[in-house]
Amino acid sequence: MSQIPGPDAARPDDPEVPAGARPAAADETRATDGAGDDPAAPVRPRRTGTLFAIALLVYAADQLTKVLAVANLEPGVPQPFVGELLQLHLIRNPGAAFSLATGMTWVFTIVAAAVVVVVVRMARRLRSGPWALALGLLLAGATGNLTDRLLRQPGFGRGHVVDFLELPNWPIFNVADSAIVAAAVLIALLGLRGINLDGTREPSRRERGRTGA
């Protein structure tokens, strides 16, 4: 009596199995195992180094210009720099950027320190060049003015920030203030465009409508 072949009688190495059967099955298994991966999407490099390089350059420019302003300008006496468009006018500012809230020095010291901590924490997830620029400027601006508040007179945490740049009909400011404003504008634009820290982009409402999402 002939024996009925069991279910495992047909083996992958039997000659009856087509030549490409095993590799195809293996490929299918690999594709299933990596179902969440998109091989077409390249992994973006981290931009942490870019962020800190930008922050260091702008911070150095801020501190150097403040040292030069204190050494060469007489407080309260404007000096034309670019005609009447930009003047050098040295003051000591106990408040926020552009001489706002001058009676809240300690509050702004704490806020600036918090901004520095938040930016450093965000840097670990950073893979976007524009975000690296924005956060680098923000970190430099916050650190530049924080240095003044910690190290300048009248005392630790209450130091007055050195401001010396004056435009017509505009509060006197410094390089750190300019960096903070530029960072705020960039962050707003990146948010409007839906660009994330990792460089990915959120679809707009119109794009979601096209795809039916």
Side-chain angles (χ1 to χ4, degrees):
M1 184 173 180
S2 61
Q3 204 173 18
I4 299 174
D8 56 343
R11 303 178 183 274
D13 53 348
D14 287 345
E16 290 79 12
V17 178
R22 256 193 310 174
D27 291 343
E28 185 177 352
T29 303
R30 283 195 298 269
T32 304
D33 293 341
D37 301 332
D38 182 7
V43 178
R44 294 179 174 86
R46 292 186 183 275
R47 301 292 184 181
T48 309
T50 304
L51 183 157
F52 287 115
I54 292 170
L56 181 61
L57 287 173
V58 178
Y59 175 80
D62 174 69
Q63 293 299 301
L64 177 60
T65 53
K66 285 174 178 175
V67 169
L68 292 174
V70 171
N72 296 286
L73 298 177
E74 184 177 349
V77 180
Q79 295 185 17
F81 185 63
V82 183
E84 297 297 321
L85 177 63
L86 176 63
Q87 298 190 80
L88 303 179
H89 188 176
L90 178 64
I91 64 168
R92 305 288 183 134
N93 173 21
F98 304 110
S99 300
L100 300 175
T102 55
M104 303 175 67
T105 305
W106 263 108
V107 174
F108 292 112
T109 301
I110 295 171
V111 170
V115 169
V116 172
V117 172
V118 169
V119 172
V120 171
R121 288 177 62 88
M122 293 173 68
R124 295 180 297 179
R125 299 184 286 120
L126 187 61
R127 295 182 183 274
S128 164
W131 269 107
L133 174 59
L135 294 179
L137 290 172
L138 180 59
L139 181 60
T143 308
N145 285 340
L146 179 62
T147 300
D148 285 12
R149 297 188 193 283
L150 295 178
L151 301 181
R152 293 188 183 275
Q153 295 297 325
F156 183 82
R158 299 178 294 112
H160 294 179
V161 174
V162 174
D163 289 338
F164 60 94
L165 298 172
E166 184 177 23
L167 294 170
N169 304 313
W170 194 258
I172 302 173
F173 59 101
N174 57 39
V175 174
D177 296 335
S178 302
I180 292 171
V181 171
V185 172
L186 278 172
I187 290 171
L189 290 175
L190 291 169
L192 289 173
R193 291 178 57 84
I195 299 175
N196 299 317
L197 282 175
D198 61 2
T200 59
R201 185 172 177 273
E202 297 290 339
S204 65
R205 185 177 300 176
R206 180 179 300 179
E207 291 169 340
R208 287 195 298 267
R210 287 194 196 131
T211 58

PDB file of all heavy atoms in Angstrom, residues 1 9 17 30 36 38 46 63-64 67 76 84 99 107-108 114-115 125 131 136 148 154 160 181 187 199 202 208:
ATOM      1  N   MET A   1       0.859  -1.185   0.000  1.00  0.00           N
ATOM      2  CA  MET A   1       0.000   0.000   0.000  1.00  0.00           C
ATOM      3  C   MET A   1       0.896   1.236   0.000  1.00  0.00           C
ATOM      4  O   MET A   1       1.798   1.366   0.811  1.00  0.00           O
ATOM      5  CB  MET A   1      -0.871  -0.009   1.268  1.00  0.00           C
ATOM      6  CG  MET A   1      -1.880   1.126   1.316  1.00  0.00           C
ATOM      7  SD  MET A   1      -3.004   0.956   2.735  1.00  0.00           S
ATOM      8  CE  MET A   1      -3.986   2.403   2.459  1.00  0.00           C
ATOM      9  N   ALA A   9       6.036  17.062   3.167  1.00  0.00           N
ATOM     10  CA  ALA A   9       6.771  16.302   2.155  1.00  0.00           C
ATOM     11  C   ALA A   9       7.404  17.218   1.139  1.00  0.00           C
ATOM     12  O   ALA A   9       8.486  16.971   0.642  1.00  0.00           O
ATOM     13  CB  ALA A   9       5.837  15.296   1.477  1.00  0.00           C
ATOM     14  N   VAL A  17      10.532  22.404  -6.345  1.00  0.00           N
ATOM     15  CA  VAL A  17      10.312  23.797  -5.977  1.00  0.00           C
ATOM     16  C   VAL A  17      11.020  24.695  -6.964  1.00  0.00           C
ATOM     17  O   VAL A  17      12.198  24.490  -7.260  1.00  0.00           O
ATOM     18  CB  VAL A  17      10.847  24.054  -4.546  1.00  0.00           C
ATOM     19  CG1 VAL A  17      10.667  25.516  -4.180  1.00  0.00           C
ATOM     20  CG2 VAL A  17      10.128  23.151  -3.563  1.00  0.00           C
ATOM     21  N   ARG A  30      11.246  39.569   5.038  1.00  0.00           N
ATOM     22  CA  ARG A  30      11.979  40.774   5.419  1.00  0.00           C
ATOM     23  C   ARG A  30      11.098  41.999   5.265  1.00  0.00           C
ATOM     24  O   ARG A  30      11.135  42.920   6.068  1.00  0.00           O
ATOM     25  CB  ARG A  30      13.253  40.911   4.577  1.00  0.00           C
ATOM     26  CG  ARG A  30      14.372  39.991   5.026  1.00  0.00           C
ATOM     27  CD  ARG A  30      15.687  40.441   4.412  1.00  0.00           C
ATOM     28  NE  ARG A  30      15.658  40.373   2.958  1.00  0.00           N
ATOM     29  CZ  ARG A  30      16.034  39.310   2.274  1.00  0.00           C
ATOM     30  NH1 ARG A  30      16.427  38.209   2.916  1.00  0.00           N
ATOM     31  NH2 ARG A  30      15.999  39.300   0.960  1.00  0.00           N
ATOM     32  N   GLY A  36       7.222  49.006   9.185  1.00  0.00           N
ATOM     33  CA  GLY A  36       7.128  50.417   9.532  1.00  0.00           C
ATOM     34  C   GLY A  36       8.217  51.260   8.921  1.00  0.00           C
ATOM     35  O   GLY A  36       8.213  52.478   9.078  1.00  0.00           O
ATOM     36  N   ASP A  38      10.553  53.059   5.974  1.00  0.00           N
ATOM     37  CA  ASP A  38      10.435  53.571   4.619  1.00  0.00           C
ATOM     38  C   ASP A  38      11.838  53.707   4.049  1.00  0.00           C
ATOM     39  O   ASP A  38      12.526  54.694   4.312  1.00  0.00           O
ATOM     40  CB  ASP A  38       9.717  54.932   4.625  1.00  0.00           C
ATOM     41  CG  ASP A  38       9.522  55.474   3.217  1.00  0.00           C
ATOM     42  OD1 ASP A  38       9.817  54.741   2.259  1.00  0.00           O
ATOM     43  OD2 ASP A  38       9.074  56.630   3.077  1.00  0.00           O
ATOM     44  N   ARG A  46      21.657  64.814  12.280  1.00  0.00           N
ATOM     45  CA  ARG A  46      21.394  65.711  13.398  1.00  0.00           C
ATOM     46  C   ARG A  46      21.996  67.083  13.121  1.00  0.00           C
ATOM     47  O   ARG A  46      23.059  67.203  12.512  1.00  0.00           O
ATOM     48  CB  ARG A  46      21.981  65.141  14.687  1.00  0.00           C
ATOM     49  CG  ARG A  46      21.279  63.886  15.172  1.00  0.00           C
ATOM     50  CD  ARG A  46      21.821  63.468  16.528  1.00  0.00           C
ATOM     51  NE  ARG A  46      21.206  62.234  16.977  1.00  0.00           N
ATOM     52  CZ  ARG A  46      20.052  62.154  17.622  1.00  0.00           C
ATOM     53  NH1 ARG A  46      19.385  63.264  17.871  1.00  0.00           N
ATOM     54  NH2 ARG A  46      19.560  60.996  17.998  1.00  0.00           N
ATOM     55  N   GLN A  63      28.738  89.617  22.958  1.00  0.00           N
ATOM     56  CA  GLN A  63      29.586  89.988  24.083  1.00  0.00           C
ATOM     57  C   GLN A  63      30.715  90.926  23.670  1.00  0.00           C
ATOM     58  O   GLN A  63      31.057  91.867  24.394  1.00  0.00           O
ATOM     59  CB  GLN A  63      30.161  88.727  24.736  1.00  0.00           C
ATOM     60  CG  GLN A  63      29.112  87.859  25.405  1.00  0.00           C
ATOM     61  CD  GLN A  63      28.378  88.589  26.522  1.00  0.00           C
ATOM     62  OE1 GLN A  63      29.000  89.045  27.483  1.00  0.00           O
ATOM     63  NE2 GLN A  63      27.056  88.719  26.394  1.00  0.00           N
ATOM     64  N   LEU A  64      31.287  90.691  22.491  1.00  0.00           N
ATOM     65  CA  LEU A  64      32.374  91.562  22.023  1.00  0.00           C
ATOM     66  C   LEU A  64      31.880  92.986  21.776  1.00  0.00           C
ATOM     67  O   LEU A  64      32.526  93.957  22.179  1.00  0.00           O
ATOM     68  CB  LEU A  64      32.983  90.975  20.747  1.00  0.00           C
ATOM     69  CG  LEU A  64      34.092  91.804  20.090  1.00  0.00           C
ATOM     70  CD1 LEU A  64      35.265  91.985  21.043  1.00  0.00           C
ATOM     71  CD2 LEU A  64      34.548  91.152  18.787  1.00  0.00           C
ATOM     72  N   VAL A  67      31.352  94.789  25.061  1.00  0.00           N
ATOM     73  CA  VAL A  67      32.614  95.227  25.667  1.00  0.00           C
ATOM     74  C   VAL A  67      33.130  96.490  24.970  1.00  0.00           C
ATOM     75  O   VAL A  67      33.572  97.455  25.625  1.00  0.00           O
ATOM     76  CB  VAL A  67      33.662  94.096  25.594  1.00  0.00           C
ATOM     77  CG1 VAL A  67      35.052  94.614  25.965  1.00  0.00           C
ATOM     78  CG2 VAL A  67      33.268  92.948  26.518  1.00  0.00           C
ATOM     79  N   GLY A  76      24.442 107.571  27.498  1.00  0.00           N
ATOM     80  CA  GLY A  76      23.425 108.595  27.270  1.00  0.00           C
ATOM     81  C   GLY A  76      23.735 109.583  26.168  1.00  0.00           C
ATOM     82  O   GLY A  76      22.934 110.489  25.906  1.00  0.00           O
ATOM     83  N   GLU A  84      21.969 109.096  10.400  1.00  0.00           N
ATOM     84  CA  GLU A  84      20.929 109.143  11.420  1.00  0.00           C
ATOM     85  C   GLU A  84      20.113 107.847  11.461  1.00  0.00           C
ATOM     86  O   GLU A  84      19.259 107.685  12.333  1.00  0.00           O
ATOM     87  CB  GLU A  84      19.986 110.330  11.137  1.00  0.00           C
ATOM     88  CG  GLU A  84      20.654 111.684  11.205  1.00  0.00           C
ATOM     89  CD  GLU A  84      21.182 111.983  12.607  1.00  0.00           C
ATOM     90  OE1 GLU A  84      20.496 111.633  13.587  1.00  0.00           O
ATOM     91  OE2 GLU A  84      22.280 112.572  12.716  1.00  0.00           O
ATOM     92  N   SER A  99      14.160  97.365  26.398  1.00  0.00           N
ATOM     93  CA  SER A  99      13.896  98.160  27.600  1.00  0.00           C
ATOM     94  C   SER A  99      12.461  98.017  28.111  1.00  0.00           C
ATOM     95  O   SER A  99      11.904  98.938  28.709  1.00  0.00           O
ATOM     96  CB  SER A  99      14.198  99.653  27.332  1.00  0.00           C
ATOM     97  OG  SER A  99      15.543  99.821  26.970  1.00  0.00           O
ATOM     98  N   VAL A 107      12.740  88.377  37.234  1.00  0.00           N
ATOM     99  CA  VAL A 107      11.821  87.551  36.435  1.00  0.00           C
ATOM    100  C   VAL A 107      12.444  87.218  35.092  1.00  0.00           C
ATOM    101  O   VAL A 107      12.416  86.057  34.647  1.00  0.00           O
ATOM    102  CB  VAL A 107      10.473  88.274  36.238  1.00  0.00           C
ATOM    103  CG1 VAL A 107       9.578  87.489  35.282  1.00  0.00           C
ATOM    104  CG2 VAL A 107       9.772  88.467  37.575  1.00  0.00           C
ATOM    105  N   PHE A 108      13.038  88.198  34.450  1.00  0.00           N
ATOM    106  CA  PHE A 108      13.619  87.960  33.132  1.00  0.00           C
ATOM    107  C   PHE A 108      14.904  87.136  33.217  1.00  0.00           C
ATOM    108  O   PHE A 108      15.264  86.446  32.261  1.00  0.00           O
ATOM    109  CB  PHE A 108      13.852  89.285  32.413  1.00  0.00           C
ATOM    110  CG  PHE A 108      12.572  89.967  32.042  1.00  0.00           C
ATOM    111  CD1 PHE A 108      12.198  91.155  32.644  1.00  0.00           C
ATOM    112  CD2 PHE A 108      11.719  89.401  31.110  1.00  0.00           C
ATOM    113  CE1 PHE A 108      11.011  91.768  32.315  1.00  0.00           C
ATOM    114  CE2 PHE A 108      10.525  90.010  30.770  1.00  0.00           C
ATOM    115  CZ  PHE A 108      10.164  91.197  31.375  1.00  0.00           C
ATOM    116  N   ALA A 114      15.448  79.627  31.718  1.00  0.00           N
ATOM    117  CA  ALA A 114      14.522  78.581  31.286  1.00  0.00           C
ATOM    118  C   ALA A 114      14.577  78.379  29.776  1.00  0.00           C
ATOM    119  O   ALA A 114      14.539  77.243  29.284  1.00  0.00           O
ATOM    120  CB  ALA A 114      13.100  78.929  31.725  1.00  0.00           C
ATOM    121  N   VAL A 115      14.685  79.467  29.034  1.00  0.00           N
ATOM    122  CA  VAL A 115      14.784  79.368  27.571  1.00  0.00           C
ATOM    123  C   VAL A 115      16.029  78.588  27.170  1.00  0.00           C
ATOM    124  O   VAL A 115      15.992  77.733  26.283  1.00  0.00           O
ATOM    125  CB  VAL A 115      14.792  80.777  26.935  1.00  0.00           C
ATOM    126  CG1 VAL A 115      15.175  80.703  25.456  1.00  0.00           C
ATOM    127  CG2 VAL A 115      13.433  81.436  27.091  1.00  0.00           C
ATOM    128  N   ARG A 125      16.606  66.470  19.436  1.00  0.00           N
ATOM    129  CA  ARG A 125      15.692  65.977  18.398  1.00  0.00           C
ATOM    130  C   ARG A 125      15.831  66.749  17.093  1.00  0.00           C
ATOM    131  O   ARG A 125      15.051  66.570  16.169  1.00  0.00           O
ATOM    132  CB  ARG A 125      14.242  66.079  18.885  1.00  0.00           C
ATOM    133  CG  ARG A 125      13.971  65.250  20.119  1.00  0.00           C
ATOM    134  CD  ARG A 125      12.506  65.301  20.505  1.00  0.00           C
ATOM    135  NE  ARG A 125      12.131  66.572  21.098  1.00  0.00           N
ATOM    136  CZ  ARG A 125      11.203  67.387  20.608  1.00  0.00           C
ATOM    137  NH1 ARG A 125      10.597  67.102  19.489  1.00  0.00           N
ATOM    138  NH2 ARG A 125      10.910  68.516  21.229  1.00  0.00           N
ATOM    139  N   TRP A 131      15.414  75.087  11.542  1.00  0.00           N
ATOM    140  CA  TRP A 131      15.188  75.079  12.987  1.00  0.00           C
ATOM    141  C   TRP A 131      16.509  75.251  13.739  1.00  0.00           C
ATOM    142  O   TRP A 131      16.548  75.869  14.806  1.00  0.00           O
ATOM    143  CB  TRP A 131      14.504  73.784  13.418  1.00  0.00           C
ATOM    144  CG  TRP A 131      13.006  73.868  13.418  1.00  0.00           C
ATOM    145  CD1 TRP A 131      12.146  73.297  12.528  1.00  0.00           C
ATOM    146  CD2 TRP A 131      12.189  74.575  14.361  1.00  0.00           C
ATOM    147  NE1 TRP A 131      10.845  73.605  12.847  1.00  0.00           N
ATOM    148  CE2 TRP A 131      10.839  74.377  13.979  1.00  0.00           C
ATOM    149  CE3 TRP A 131      12.461  75.342  15.498  1.00  0.00           C
ATOM    150  CZ2 TRP A 131       9.771  74.932  14.681  1.00  0.00           C
ATOM    151  CZ3 TRP A 131      11.402  75.896  16.200  1.00  0.00           C
ATOM    152  CH2 TRP A 131      10.078  75.695  15.790  1.00  0.00           C
ATOM    153  N   GLY A 136      19.436  78.340  17.269  1.00  0.00           N
ATOM    154  CA  GLY A 136      20.769  78.875  17.548  1.00  0.00           C
ATOM    155  C   GLY A 136      20.721  80.364  17.858  1.00  0.00           C
ATOM    156  O   GLY A 136      21.377  80.847  18.798  1.00  0.00           O
ATOM    157  N   ASP A 148      24.745  89.124  30.991  1.00  0.00           N
ATOM    158  CA  ASP A 148      24.727  90.470  31.580  1.00  0.00           C
ATOM    159  C   ASP A 148      23.992  90.473  32.915  1.00  0.00           C
ATOM    160  O   ASP A 148      24.441  91.094  33.890  1.00  0.00           O
ATOM    161  CB  ASP A 148      24.053  91.450  30.619  1.00  0.00           C
ATOM    162  CG  ASP A 148      24.941  91.819  29.450  1.00  0.00           C
ATOM    163  OD1 ASP A 148      25.972  91.161  29.256  1.00  0.00           O
ATOM    164  OD2 ASP A 148      24.601  92.766  28.719  1.00  0.00           O
ATOM    165  N   PRO A 154      23.858  95.847  38.959  1.00  0.00           N
ATOM    166  CA  PRO A 154      24.276  96.014  40.359  1.00  0.00           C
ATOM    167  C   PRO A 154      24.496  94.740  41.148  1.00  0.00           C
ATOM    168  O   PRO A 154      24.890  94.815  42.318  1.00  0.00           O
ATOM    169  CB  PRO A 154      23.096  96.789  40.955  1.00  0.00           C
ATOM    170  CG  PRO A 154      21.922  96.334  40.178  1.00  0.00           C
ATOM    171  CD  PRO A 154      22.432  96.096  38.779  1.00  0.00           C
ATOM    172  N   HIS A 160      22.233  94.785  34.890  1.00  0.00           N
ATOM    173  CA  HIS A 160      21.607  95.550  33.818  1.00  0.00           C
ATOM    174  C   HIS A 160      22.250  95.195  32.481  1.00  0.00           C
ATOM    175  O   HIS A 160      23.471  95.133  32.365  1.00  0.00           O
ATOM    176  CB  HIS A 160      21.743  97.051  34.081  1.00  0.00           C
ATOM    177  CG  HIS A 160      20.970  97.500  35.286  1.00  0.00           C
ATOM    178  ND1 HIS A 160      20.954  98.810  35.720  1.00  0.00           N
ATOM    179  CD2 HIS A 160      20.167  96.815  36.151  1.00  0.00           C
ATOM    180  CE1 HIS A 160      20.179  98.913  36.793  1.00  0.00           C
ATOM    181  NE2 HIS A 160      19.700  97.714  37.076  1.00  0.00           N
ATOM    182  N   VAL A 181      14.678  88.448  18.243  1.00  0.00           N
ATOM    183  CA  VAL A 181      13.604  88.835  17.322  1.00  0.00           C
ATOM    184  C   VAL A 181      13.671  88.020  16.032  1.00  0.00           C
ATOM    185  O   VAL A 181      12.654  87.526  15.526  1.00  0.00           O
ATOM    186  CB  VAL A 181      13.675  90.343  17.020  1.00  0.00           C
ATOM    187  CG1 VAL A 181      12.713  90.726  15.914  1.00  0.00           C
ATOM    188  CG2 VAL A 181      13.377  91.146  18.278  1.00  0.00           C
ATOM    189  N   ILE A 187      10.803  81.105  13.803  1.00  0.00           N
ATOM    190  CA  ILE A 187       9.981  80.075  14.433  1.00  0.00           C
ATOM    191  C   ILE A 187       8.528  80.200  13.981  1.00  0.00           C
ATOM    192  O   ILE A 187       7.854  79.195  13.710  1.00  0.00           O
ATOM    193  CB  ILE A 187      10.103  80.158  15.966  1.00  0.00           C
ATOM    194  CG1 ILE A 187      11.500  79.709  16.396  1.00  0.00           C
ATOM    195  CG2 ILE A 187       9.036  79.315  16.656  1.00  0.00           C
ATOM    196  CD1 ILE A 187      11.803  79.959  17.861  1.00  0.00           C
ATOM    197  N   GLY A 199      12.701  67.900  10.713  1.00  0.00           N
ATOM    198  CA  GLY A 199      12.784  68.185   9.286  1.00  0.00           C
ATOM    199  C   GLY A 199      11.588  67.723   8.490  1.00  0.00           C
ATOM    200  O   GLY A 199      11.469  68.057   7.311  1.00  0.00           O
ATOM    201  N   GLU A 202       4.418  68.841   8.115  1.00  0.00           N
ATOM    202  CA  GLU A 202       3.013  68.498   8.272  1.00  0.00           C
ATOM    203  C   GLU A 202       2.249  68.924   7.018  1.00  0.00           C
ATOM    204  O   GLU A 202       2.477  70.019   6.500  1.00  0.00           O
ATOM    205  CB  GLU A 202       2.414  69.214   9.485  1.00  0.00           C
ATOM    206  CG  GLU A 202       3.033  68.822  10.817  1.00  0.00           C
ATOM    207  CD  GLU A 202       2.674  67.409  11.210  1.00  0.00           C
ATOM    208  OE1 GLU A 202       1.664  66.883  10.690  1.00  0.00           O
ATOM    209  OE2 GLU A 202       3.407  66.825  12.025  1.00  0.00           O
ATOM    210  N   ARG A 208      -4.263  68.037   2.767  1.00  0.00           N
ATOM    211  CA  ARG A 208      -5.087  67.002   3.395  1.00  0.00           C
ATOM    212  C   ARG A 208      -6.403  66.832   2.665  1.00  0.00           C
ATOM    213  O   ARG A 208      -6.943  65.734   2.577  1.00  0.00           O
ATOM    214  CB  ARG A 208      -5.340  67.359   4.875  1.00  0.00           C
ATOM    215  CG  ARG A 208      -4.120  67.176   5.754  1.00  0.00           C
ATOM    216  CD  ARG A 208      -4.505  67.172   7.213  1.00  0.00           C
ATOM    217  NE  ARG A 208      -5.110  68.433   7.623  1.00  0.00           N
ATOM    218  CZ  ARG A 208      -4.422  69.449   8.142  1.00  0.00           C
ATOM    219  NH1 ARG A 208      -3.123  69.345   8.303  1.00  0.00           N
ATOM    220  NH2 ARG A 208      -5.028  70.558   8.500  1.00  0.00           N
TER     221      ARG A 208
END
